[in-house]
Amino acid sequence: MRKDVRILLVGEPKVGKTSLIMSLVSEEFPDDVPLRAEEITIPADVTPERVPTHIVDYSEAEQSDEQLYQEISKANVICIVYSVNNKKSIEKVTSHWIPLINDRTDKDSRVPLILVGNKSDLVEHSSMETILPIMNQYSDIETCVECSAKNLKNISELFYYAQKAVLHPTGPLYCPEEKEMKPSCIKSLTRIFKVSDLDNDGILNDKELNFFQRTCFNMPLAPQALEDVKNVVRKNMTDGVEDNGLTLKGFLFLHTLFIQRGRHETTWTVLRRFGYDDDLELHQEYLFPLLKIPADCTTELNHNAYLFLQSVFDKHDKDRDCALSPEEVKDLFKVFPYMPWGPDVNNTVCTNDQGWITYQGYLSQWTLTTYLDVQRCLEYLGYLGYSIICEQESQAAAITVTRNKRIDLQKKQTQRSVFRCNILGARGSGKTSFLQAFLGRNLLKQRKIREDHKSFYSINTTYVYGQEKYLLLHEVMPDFDFLSEEDLACDVVCLVYDVNNPRSFEYCAKVYKQYFMDSKTPCMMIASKSDLHEARQHYSLTPLDFCRKNKLHPPQPWTCNTVDAPNKDLYTKLTTMAMYPHAKLRCMCTCNRCTFCICQNILRSQLLTNIKAKFYSVVLNRLHDVGAYLLADEECSLIQQVHAISNVEESIYMESSVQPYGPQARHMAQADLKSSTFWLRASVGATVFAVLGFAMYRAILKQR
């Protein structure tokens, strides 16, 4: 919507152009009319549309043709004034003024015209019979107003219609010759209908109609008003109302009716609320709201955005199989001007056995788009109507800008949910297979992927200490001489080499030494195709020795040549390394020669396990003896009390209960108690010894 309106009045001399302006300003007919009125600005709070309005007069006596041309080019709407009692001034409208204006304006952006018949107080008849053929001939003419500057008839209406012609033009909406809406208007209203159809059943029910009404006009419709609207549609269309809801045809008919009755501001209010400009295109401010992203920060979808996307998925998953078929995907993107997802998306995210994008894959693709190109994500959310459905100011409310990575490194913790892993390696080392295996595809399934449908990205979820995180894998093209900042900017690096190719590891070693040796980015070496024979690498160091020298984890054997889906433990380890780059992760080797492996083997040995089991059993037995002694002592005191009450009970009880706990047994229990004290002291000493041993063990690992 325009921020201001510029109205230009033109016409033959003495038709009353200046008088109209003076009468509007002073609200009375001026006694002394100048040759030309100065430009007048009406404040926004005075005008009905709340828009500042500039009114410009033209005088042939005071202005040149060049000045006239400049004013025509600056005007938003032009009022061609004629005198209703002067036929020559009416003829000049078509013979001079309209051709002149058309010659000075672009064909694609014609200025709306308003015909103004002044001096209606001087005649008793109307000039509309003469003007109607002219209006039918020129589609640029918005309307015709007959007025009188002398008795102030229709003066304010004239300038209101001029404002309206600029702010709510009929031209983009309606074709008067064919008496129907233009295709661009139908397309825009169809998108609005689909966005407002929250359950995607092709009908706007009462709840959806009220939401639409409240969204566009800030007030709901009364139940009777809703019924009146439906009755109007029913009387004019047989299929405009179904199941007591408004169909798309009925929705379009209502707006056609609004336009035909001169209420096109209603249609424009709806269009502008859903982001359309005067050319019925979604304007840039709507699609790309301002979003500041500092350096070293990433972008993610927040919880409300995921809830919205989940509702969109449920809305279009008609067969409820938790996957989107190709037809359902097309239906989802009907509100887009183009198809945003290509065939490569099916090889970027998880799919089901039929190759359809699953619910998890759907969310993963949105997460990927947000991370890599947040502006495109904002655009997509705009097409889906996020800000309208979620009642937010813009799509920027769906985005979370993460904390600077340097702060995460300093605090050694992060709140991010998406981590990027760049995959580097020589050609044929298995990088693409590593990406596809992350999506659960073994080598047999990967061979079915077409070459032109392959993707350089894959994204899926992993679980780190019970937290769901997204891991984004990016295959970097093997150009050793030049790696861009994007190739180097990531949370973890994965260097892949082919164990069967003797020249494959050399590339990984050179890349690491040149780009990642002095960086703080954690790296992992992947020995791919581990099911094949391991060839000796043509490099000065073996992969294992290279990793030891550079304090890296040993090469991780990996293969996707399996019957079932490939193992995903490596991807979890990569995500953990990305989340905790400073942490010393558990050693992932089985060399049985390093300090860690030796300590682990000792701790897991059968001898140490038997000693620990024996120790625990002795401690538990001694604690049991202590408890038994205390229990026996309490029972003896109880027996003495019973003996004092009844001799019969004494004899019976002493035979059955007192004998086992006589003086000899009690003496033995006291000896056992001394022994138990010894073992308790031994337990404390063993605990201290274990703590010291563990501290020494950690110190050894730190040196390693």
Side-chain angles (χ1 to χ4, degrees):
M1 192 170 177
R2 292 184 180 276
K3 296 181 179 180
D4 61 353
V5 175
R6 189 175 183 86
I7 304 172
L8 174 64
L9 274 67
V10 299
E12 294 299 299
K14 305 298 182 180
V15 294
K17 302 184 296 295
T18 307
S19 299
L20 290 171
I21 299 174
M22 301 294 287
S23 298
L24 175 71
V25 174
S26 60
E27 296 185 352
E28 61 179 2
F29 185 72
D31 296 329
D32 186 16
V33 181
L35 292 176
R36 175 176 174 269
E38 295 295 329
E39 180 178 327
I40 295 172
T41 300
I42 303 176
D45 55 352
V46 177
T47 61
E49 298 294 336
R50 301 291 177 181
V51 175
T53 303
H54 311 281
I55 302 175
V56 182
D57 189 13
Y58 166 70
S59 173
E60 185 178 348
E62 289 194 355
Q63 291 177 289
S64 63
D65 291 344
E66 188 62 33
Q67 289 175 315
L68 173 62
Y69 301 154
Q70 290 178 1
E71 291 295 344
I72 290 175
S73 64
K74 292 189 292 184
N76 302 129
V77 58
I78 299 176
C79 297
I80 304 176
V81 184
Y82 64 90
S83 178
V84 295
N85 64 344
N86 187 343
K87 290 185 178 180
K88 185 178 179 181
S89 66
I90 297 176
E91 293 173 356
K92 282 283 189 177
V93 170
T94 56
S95 63
H96 176 69
W97 289 108
I98 293 179
L100 174 67
I101 293 169
N102 288 340
D103 290 342
R104 296 293 166 179
T105 55
D106 296 333
K107 293 182 179 180
D108 297 333
S109 58
R110 289 288 173 85
V111 179
L113 305 176
I114 293 180
L115 301 184
V116 182
N118 194 20
K119 303 183 181 181
S120 63
D121 59 296
L122 300 179
V123 296
E124 295 180 358
H125 63 275
S126 174
S127 63
M128 295 306 294
E129 293 183 2
T130 309
I131 296 300
L132 280 175
I134 300 175
M135 293 180 64
N136 293 331
Q137 182 181 356
Y138 296 96
S139 60
D140 299 336
I141 300 175
E142 288 285 326
T143 188
C144 177
V145 181
E146 288 190 347
C147 59
S148 172
K150 187 172 184 179
N151 52 21
L152 307 181
K153 179 185 176 183
N154 290 340
I155 299 298
S156 58
E157 287 81 358
L158 159 64
F159 292 101
Y160 168 71
Y161 285 126
Q163 268 191 337
K164 190 176 178 180
V166 177
L167 302 177
H168 312 297
T170 309
L173 305 180
Y174 190 74
C175 181
E177 291 85 2
E178 300 179 5
K179 296 183 179 180
E180 61 182 23
M181 285 192 296
K182 291 186 174 179
S184 58
C185 182
I186 294 174
K187 181 180 178 182
S188 302
L189 290 174
T190 300
R191 171 186 168 267
I192 292 172
F193 179 89
K194 288 189 69 65
V195 170
S196 304
D197 185 12
L198 301 179
D199 54 8
N200 198 32
D201 62 350
I203 296 172
L204 295 183
N205 55 37
D206 288 355
K207 182 179 178 181
E208 292 166 342
L209 281 171
N210 263 316
F211 179 79
F212 170 80
Q213 178 76 12
R214 190 173 64 253
T215 298
C216 296
F217 305 102
N218 297 321
M219 61 178 67
L221 281 174
Q224 186 57 46
L226 272 175
E227 287 302 317
D228 293 342
V229 169
K230 295 174 189 175
N231 289 333
V232 170
V233 177
R234 284 192 188 101
K235 290 178 181 178
N236 294 273
M237 296 191 73
T238 56
D239 53 353
V241 178
E242 291 181 6
D243 298 331
N244 201 33
L246 201 63
T247 64
L248 175 59
K249 290 184 178 179
F251 184 75
L252 295 176
F253 168 77
L254 273 180
H255 285 281
T256 304
L257 196 63
F258 291 148
I259 297 169
Q260 290 174 343
R261 294 184 178 180
R263 292 176 53 194
H264 39 276
E265 64 272 12
T266 302
T267 302
W268 273 114
T269 301
V270 172
L271 289 167
R272 290 196 172 109
R273 179 65 184 90
F274 280 79
Y276 288 94
D277 59 15
D278 293 344
D279 298 322
L280 296 185
E281 297 288 342
L282 291 170
H283 53 73
Q284 298 298 301
E285 290 79 6
Y286 171 79
L287 291 177
F288 305 102
L290 182 63
L291 181 66
K292 295 182 179 179
I293 306 173
D296 291 333
C297 295
T298 59
T299 48
E300 300 176 1
L301 292 168
N302 58 31
H303 179 66
N304 291 332
Y306 279 117
L307 290 179
F308 170 75
L309 293 172
Q310 178 183 348
S311 68
V312 173
F313 183 92
D314 294 338
K315 173 179 173 180
H316 293 89
D317 183 20
K318 295 180 180 179
D319 52 8
R320 297 293 182 265
D321 61 347
C322 289
L324 294 178
S325 66
E327 291 75 19
E328 291 170 341
V329 171
K330 288 180 182 178
D331 184 52
L332 190 154
F333 291 124
K334 278 185 178 178
V335 296
F336 285 57
Y338 56 89
M339 185 65 183
W341 291 359
D344 60 316
V345 172
N346 294 63
N347 298 315
T348 305
V349 298
C350 292
T351 58
N352 61 10
D353 294 336
Q354 295 171 286
W356 299 352
I357 298 174
T358 62
Y359 170 70
Q360 185 59 53
Y362 165 83
L363 293 181
S364 297
Q365 179 62 25
W366 278 100
T367 304
L368 173 70
T369 306
T370 308
Y371 187 92
L372 295 180
D373 191 351
V374 68
Q375 292 299 319
R376 179 158 294 185
C377 178
L378 292 173
E379 179 188 1
Y380 292 172
L381 290 173
Y383 292 138
L384 291 174
Y386 172 82
S387 60
I388 296 161
I389 302 301
C390 296
E391 300 183 41
Q392 299 289 340
E393 185 177 350
S394 70
Q395 297 88 265
I399 306 300
T400 296
V401 180
T402 63
R403 191 169 59 183
N404 191 299
K405 290 184 180 179
R406 294 180 181 177
I407 300 177
D408 287 347
L409 290 173
Q410 291 173 359
K411 296 192 174 184
K412 297 184 179 180
Q413 62 179 359
T414 181
Q415 297 176 346
R416 294 162 56 203
S417 298
V418 186
F419 300 92
R420 177 169 179 163
C421 173
N422 284 353
I423 314 297
L424 294 94
R427 294 186 186 277
S429 58
K431 300 187 298 297
T432 304
S433 296
F434 191 74
L435 265 66
Q436 292 301 311
F438 189 31
L439 306 178
R441 295 166 188 161
N442 57 22
L443 187 60
L444 185 62
K445 292 183 178 180
Q446 293 178 24
R447 287 173 177 169
K448 298 178 182 179
I449 300 175
R450 290 174 49 179
E451 190 67 29
D452 55 338
H453 291 177
K454 287 185 178 180
S455 173
F456 291 105
Y457 293 93
S458 81
I459 182 170
N460 202 353
T461 55
T462 61
Y463 286 87
V464 178
Y465 302 128
Q467 302 179 47
E468 185 183 55
K469 302 295 180 181
Y470 283 95
L471 179 63
L472 165 61
L473 303 182
H474 171 46
E475 179 182 347
V476 179
M477 296 303 293
D479 187 359
F480 173 75
D481 296 330
F482 177 75
L483 290 179
S484 64
E485 292 185 3
E486 182 183 1
D487 298 333
L488 301 175
C490 58
D491 301 299
V492 61
V493 175
C494 194
L495 300 170
V496 182
Y497 72 95
D498 181 1
V499 297
N500 192 243
N501 184 353
R503 300 188 178 277
S504 183
F505 178 75
E506 182 180 7
Y507 176 88
C508 296
K510 289 183 177 179
V511 166
Y512 175 80
K513 291 172 68 175
Q514 181 166 342
Y515 295 104
F516 300 107
M517 179 178 284
D518 298 325
S519 73
K520 296 182 179 180
T521 306
C523 298
M524 179 187 287
M525 199 74 69
I526 302 294
S528 70
K529 306 180 185 179
S530 59
D531 58 308
L532 301 179
H533 171 70
E534 184 173 0
R536 181 180 179 83
Q537 296 294 324
H538 293 177
Y539 191 70
S540 57
L541 296 173
T542 65
L544 180 60
D545 291 337
F546 180 87
C547 292
R548 285 178 179 172
K549 180 179 179 181
N550 293 281
K551 298 181 180 180
L552 297 175
H553 294 298
Q556 302 300 300
W558 174 85
T559 180
C560 63
N561 190 10
T562 57
V563 177
D564 299 324
N567 192 292
K568 292 187 177 181
D569 289 346
L570 271 180
Y571 304 102
T572 303
K573 292 173 182 176
L574 285 170
T575 311
T576 309
M577 291 172 67
M579 288 181 64
Y580 307 104
H582 285 302
K584 297 295 183 181
L585 300 181
R586 181 177 178 180
C587 182
M588 294 180 285
C589 74
T590 55
C591 63
N592 294 322
R593 294 194 299 270
C594 66
T595 307
F596 186 92
C597 290
I598 293 172
C599 292
Q600 286 294 321
N601 291 336
I602 293 174
L603 291 174
R604 294 171 183 170
S605 64
Q606 188 64 35
L607 176 62
L608 190 60
T609 303
N610 294 337
I611 292 174
K612 287 192 293 183
K614 198 71 173 177
F615 175 75
Y616 291 148
S617 63
V618 170
V619 171
L620 289 175
N621 290 334
R622 294 308 175 185
L623 291 176
H624 177 72
D625 292 341
V626 172
Y629 168 74
L630 295 175
L631 182 61
D633 194 25
E634 291 180 1
E635 288 180 351
C636 287
S637 62
L638 180 62
I639 291 169
Q640 291 175 2
Q641 294 176 10
V642 172
H643 177 74
I645 296 172
S646 173
N647 293 327
V648 177
E649 292 179 358
E650 177 188 6
S651 61
I652 297 173
Y653 195 86
M654 289 298 290
E655 290 178 0
S656 60
S657 301
V658 177
Q659 187 175 357
Y661 296 96
Q664 185 179 0
R666 185 166 182 174
H667 175 74
M668 292 176 62
Q670 290 175 349
D672 290 339
L673 179 61
K674 294 179 181 180
S675 179
S676 299
T677 305
F678 165 79
W679 282 107
L680 285 174
R681 291 176 180 176
S683 300
V684 174
T687 303
V688 174
F689 177 80
V691 171
L692 293 175
F694 182 75
M696 294 177 62
Y697 161 70
R698 291 294 299 271
I700 294 172
L701 281 186
K702 189 173 182 180
Q703 292 178 0
R704 179 174 174 271

PDB file of all heavy atoms in Angstrom, residues 374-390:
ATOM      1  N   VAL A 374      18.770 -19.159   5.114  1.00  0.00           N
ATOM      2  CA  VAL A 374      17.645 -18.745   5.945  1.00  0.00           C
ATOM      3  C   VAL A 374      16.691 -17.823   5.184  1.00  0.00           C
ATOM      4  O   VAL A 374      15.478 -17.828   5.441  1.00  0.00           O
ATOM      5  CB  VAL A 374      18.159 -18.073   7.241  1.00  0.00           C
ATOM      6  CG1 VAL A 374      18.833 -16.743   6.939  1.00  0.00           C
ATOM      7  CG2 VAL A 374      17.029 -17.899   8.237  1.00  0.00           C
ATOM      8  N   GLN A 375      17.199 -17.049   4.228  1.00  0.00           N
ATOM      9  CA  GLN A 375      16.323 -16.170   3.456  1.00  0.00           C
ATOM     10  C   GLN A 375      15.342 -16.984   2.616  1.00  0.00           C
ATOM     11  O   GLN A 375      14.167 -16.618   2.485  1.00  0.00           O
ATOM     12  CB  GLN A 375      17.158 -15.254   2.557  1.00  0.00           C
ATOM     13  CG  GLN A 375      17.982 -14.225   3.312  1.00  0.00           C
ATOM     14  CD  GLN A 375      17.120 -13.266   4.127  1.00  0.00           C
ATOM     15  OE1 GLN A 375      16.073 -12.821   3.672  1.00  0.00           O
ATOM     16  NE2 GLN A 375      17.560 -12.953   5.328  1.00  0.00           N
ATOM     17  N   ARG A 376      15.810 -18.076   2.074  1.00  0.00           N
ATOM     18  CA  ARG A 376      14.905 -18.935   1.307  1.00  0.00           C
ATOM     19  C   ARG A 376      13.874 -19.586   2.232  1.00  0.00           C
ATOM     20  O   ARG A 376      12.715 -19.752   1.850  1.00  0.00           O
ATOM     21  CB  ARG A 376      15.707 -20.002   0.572  1.00  0.00           C
ATOM     22  CG  ARG A 376      14.856 -20.963  -0.245  1.00  0.00           C
ATOM     23  CD  ARG A 376      15.669 -21.626  -1.319  1.00  0.00           C
ATOM     24  NE  ARG A 376      16.108 -20.661  -2.310  1.00  0.00           N
ATOM     25  CZ  ARG A 376      16.761 -20.965  -3.427  1.00  0.00           C
ATOM     26  NH1 ARG A 376      17.056 -22.224  -3.693  1.00  0.00           N
ATOM     27  NH2 ARG A 376      17.134 -20.024  -4.270  1.00  0.00           N
ATOM     28  N   CYS A 377      14.288 -19.937   3.425  1.00  0.00           N
ATOM     29  CA  CYS A 377      13.343 -20.495   4.391  1.00  0.00           C
ATOM     30  C   CYS A 377      12.267 -19.477   4.734  1.00  0.00           C
ATOM     31  O   CYS A 377      11.077 -19.816   4.824  1.00  0.00           O
ATOM     32  CB  CYS A 377      14.083 -20.940   5.649  1.00  0.00           C
ATOM     33  SG  CYS A 377      13.010 -21.585   6.937  1.00  0.00           S
ATOM     34  N   LEU A 378      12.656 -18.219   4.932  1.00  0.00           N
ATOM     35  CA  LEU A 378      11.680 -17.161   5.206  1.00  0.00           C
ATOM     36  C   LEU A 378      10.704 -17.016   4.044  1.00  0.00           C
ATOM     37  O   LEU A 378       9.493 -16.830   4.247  1.00  0.00           O
ATOM     38  CB  LEU A 378      12.403 -15.838   5.458  1.00  0.00           C
ATOM     39  CG  LEU A 378      13.237 -15.737   6.736  1.00  0.00           C
ATOM     40  CD1 LEU A 378      14.021 -14.439   6.764  1.00  0.00           C
ATOM     41  CD2 LEU A 378      12.358 -15.834   7.964  1.00  0.00           C
ATOM     42  N   GLU A 379      11.224 -17.099   2.839  1.00  0.00           N
ATOM     43  CA  GLU A 379      10.367 -17.006   1.650  1.00  0.00           C
ATOM     44  C   GLU A 379       9.357 -18.152   1.627  1.00  0.00           C
ATOM     45  O   GLU A 379       8.154 -17.936   1.399  1.00  0.00           O
ATOM     46  CB  GLU A 379      11.238 -17.034   0.389  1.00  0.00           C
ATOM     47  CG  GLU A 379      10.449 -16.979  -0.899  1.00  0.00           C
ATOM     48  CD  GLU A 379      11.325 -17.193  -2.125  1.00  0.00           C
ATOM     49  OE1 GLU A 379      12.546 -17.397  -1.959  1.00  0.00           O
ATOM     50  OE2 GLU A 379      10.788 -17.166  -3.247  1.00  0.00           O
ATOM     51  N   TYR A 380       9.821 -19.370   1.872  1.00  0.00           N
ATOM     52  CA  TYR A 380       8.926 -20.534   1.861  1.00  0.00           C
ATOM     53  C   TYR A 380       7.851 -20.419   2.939  1.00  0.00           C
ATOM     54  O   TYR A 380       6.674 -20.717   2.690  1.00  0.00           O
ATOM     55  CB  TYR A 380       9.730 -21.815   2.068  1.00  0.00           C
ATOM     56  CG  TYR A 380      10.657 -22.184   0.928  1.00  0.00           C
ATOM     57  CD1 TYR A 380      11.571 -23.231   1.045  1.00  0.00           C
ATOM     58  CD2 TYR A 380      10.637 -21.473  -0.280  1.00  0.00           C
ATOM     59  CE1 TYR A 380      12.417 -23.579   0.006  1.00  0.00           C
ATOM     60  CE2 TYR A 380      11.485 -21.816  -1.314  1.00  0.00           C
ATOM     61  CZ  TYR A 380      12.379 -22.857  -1.168  1.00  0.00           C
ATOM     62  OH  TYR A 380      13.217 -23.203  -2.194  1.00  0.00           O
ATOM     63  N   LEU A 381       8.257 -19.987   4.140  1.00  0.00           N
ATOM     64  CA  LEU A 381       7.279 -19.823   5.214  1.00  0.00           C
ATOM     65  C   LEU A 381       6.262 -18.743   4.866  1.00  0.00           C
ATOM     66  O   LEU A 381       5.095 -18.826   5.261  1.00  0.00           O
ATOM     67  CB  LEU A 381       7.986 -19.481   6.519  1.00  0.00           C
ATOM     68  CG  LEU A 381       8.809 -20.601   7.174  1.00  0.00           C
ATOM     69  CD1 LEU A 381       9.588 -20.076   8.370  1.00  0.00           C
ATOM     70  CD2 LEU A 381       7.917 -21.758   7.599  1.00  0.00           C
ATOM     71  N   GLY A 382       6.712 -17.726   4.119  1.00  0.00           N
ATOM     72  CA  GLY A 382       5.791 -16.688   3.677  1.00  0.00           C
ATOM     73  C   GLY A 382       4.741 -17.228   2.727  1.00  0.00           C
ATOM     74  O   GLY A 382       3.551 -16.883   2.828  1.00  0.00           O
ATOM     75  N   TYR A 383       5.134 -18.078   1.804  1.00  0.00           N
ATOM     76  CA  TYR A 383       4.166 -18.686   0.883  1.00  0.00           C
ATOM     77  C   TYR A 383       3.147 -19.539   1.645  1.00  0.00           C
ATOM     78  O   TYR A 383       1.969 -19.580   1.278  1.00  0.00           O
ATOM     79  CB  TYR A 383       4.887 -19.558  -0.145  1.00  0.00           C
ATOM     80  CG  TYR A 383       5.741 -18.781  -1.124  1.00  0.00           C
ATOM     81  CD1 TYR A 383       7.004 -19.240  -1.497  1.00  0.00           C
ATOM     82  CD2 TYR A 383       5.294 -17.594  -1.682  1.00  0.00           C
ATOM     83  CE1 TYR A 383       7.802 -18.534  -2.394  1.00  0.00           C
ATOM     84  CE2 TYR A 383       6.085 -16.879  -2.577  1.00  0.00           C
ATOM     85  CZ  TYR A 383       7.328 -17.356  -2.929  1.00  0.00           C
ATOM     86  OH  TYR A 383       8.102 -16.650  -3.816  1.00  0.00           O
ATOM     87  N   LEU A 384       3.606 -20.208   2.696  1.00  0.00           N
ATOM     88  CA  LEU A 384       2.703 -21.060   3.484  1.00  0.00           C
ATOM     89  C   LEU A 384       1.825 -20.258   4.439  1.00  0.00           C
ATOM     90  O   LEU A 384       0.915 -20.814   5.048  1.00  0.00           O
ATOM     91  CB  LEU A 384       3.514 -22.087   4.279  1.00  0.00           C
ATOM     92  CG  LEU A 384       4.214 -23.177   3.467  1.00  0.00           C
ATOM     93  CD1 LEU A 384       5.100 -24.027   4.371  1.00  0.00           C
ATOM     94  CD2 LEU A 384       3.220 -24.057   2.733  1.00  0.00           C
ATOM     95  N   GLY A 385       2.109 -18.947   4.590  1.00  0.00           N
ATOM     96  CA  GLY A 385       1.298 -18.103   5.458  1.00  0.00           C
ATOM     97  C   GLY A 385       1.603 -18.255   6.926  1.00  0.00           C
ATOM     98  O   GLY A 385       0.698 -18.168   7.765  1.00  0.00           O
ATOM     99  N   TYR A 386       2.890 -18.455   7.271  1.00  0.00           N
ATOM    100  CA  TYR A 386       3.246 -18.677   8.676  1.00  0.00           C
ATOM    101  C   TYR A 386       2.825 -17.509   9.564  1.00  0.00           C
ATOM    102  O   TYR A 386       2.204 -17.709  10.619  1.00  0.00           O
ATOM    103  CB  TYR A 386       4.759 -18.902   8.803  1.00  0.00           C
ATOM    104  CG  TYR A 386       5.240 -18.945  10.235  1.00  0.00           C
ATOM    105  CD1 TYR A 386       5.133 -20.102  10.983  1.00  0.00           C
ATOM    106  CD2 TYR A 386       5.778 -17.820  10.851  1.00  0.00           C
ATOM    107  CE1 TYR A 386       5.552 -20.145  12.304  1.00  0.00           C
ATOM    108  CE2 TYR A 386       6.199 -17.850  12.171  1.00  0.00           C
ATOM    109  CZ  TYR A 386       6.085 -19.011  12.894  1.00  0.00           C
ATOM    110  OH  TYR A 386       6.498 -19.040  14.196  1.00  0.00           O
ATOM    111  N   SER A 387       3.167 -16.279   9.161  1.00  0.00           N
ATOM    112  CA  SER A 387       2.882 -15.124  10.013  1.00  0.00           C
ATOM    113  C   SER A 387       1.383 -14.924  10.215  1.00  0.00           C
ATOM    114  O   SER A 387       0.957 -14.389  11.245  1.00  0.00           O
ATOM    115  CB  SER A 387       3.499 -13.858   9.402  1.00  0.00           C
ATOM    116  OG  SER A 387       2.965 -13.617   8.106  1.00  0.00           O
ATOM    117  N   ILE A 388       0.577 -15.370   9.252  1.00  0.00           N
ATOM    118  CA  ILE A 388      -0.876 -15.201   9.350  1.00  0.00           C
ATOM    119  C   ILE A 388      -1.483 -16.293  10.218  1.00  0.00           C
ATOM    120  O   ILE A 388      -2.245 -16.021  11.151  1.00  0.00           O
ATOM    121  CB  ILE A 388      -1.495 -15.207   7.946  1.00  0.00           C
ATOM    122  CG1 ILE A 388      -0.973 -14.002   7.154  1.00  0.00           C
ATOM    123  CG2 ILE A 388      -3.007 -15.174   8.001  1.00  0.00           C
ATOM    124  CD1 ILE A 388      -1.122 -14.109   5.682  1.00  0.00           C
ATOM    125  N   ILE A 389      -1.138 -17.539   9.934  1.00  0.00           N
ATOM    126  CA  ILE A 389      -1.713 -18.658  10.682  1.00  0.00           C
ATOM    127  C   ILE A 389      -1.264 -18.623  12.140  1.00  0.00           C
ATOM    128  O   ILE A 389      -2.056 -18.873  13.058  1.00  0.00           O
ATOM    129  CB  ILE A 389      -1.313 -20.000  10.038  1.00  0.00           C
ATOM    130  CG1 ILE A 389      -1.786 -20.036   8.574  1.00  0.00           C
ATOM    131  CG2 ILE A 389      -1.895 -21.165  10.808  1.00  0.00           C
ATOM    132  CD1 ILE A 389      -3.272 -19.881   8.392  1.00  0.00           C
ATOM    133  N   CYS A 390       0.003 -18.313  12.375  1.00  0.00           N
ATOM    134  CA  CYS A 390       0.527 -18.287  13.743  1.00  0.00           C
ATOM    135  C   CYS A 390       0.377 -16.922  14.407  1.00  0.00           C
ATOM    136  O   CYS A 390       0.826 -16.741  15.549  1.00  0.00           O
ATOM    137  CB  CYS A 390       2.008 -18.697  13.740  1.00  0.00           C
ATOM    138  SG  CYS A 390       2.271 -20.396  13.206  1.00  0.00           S
TER     139      CYS A 390
END
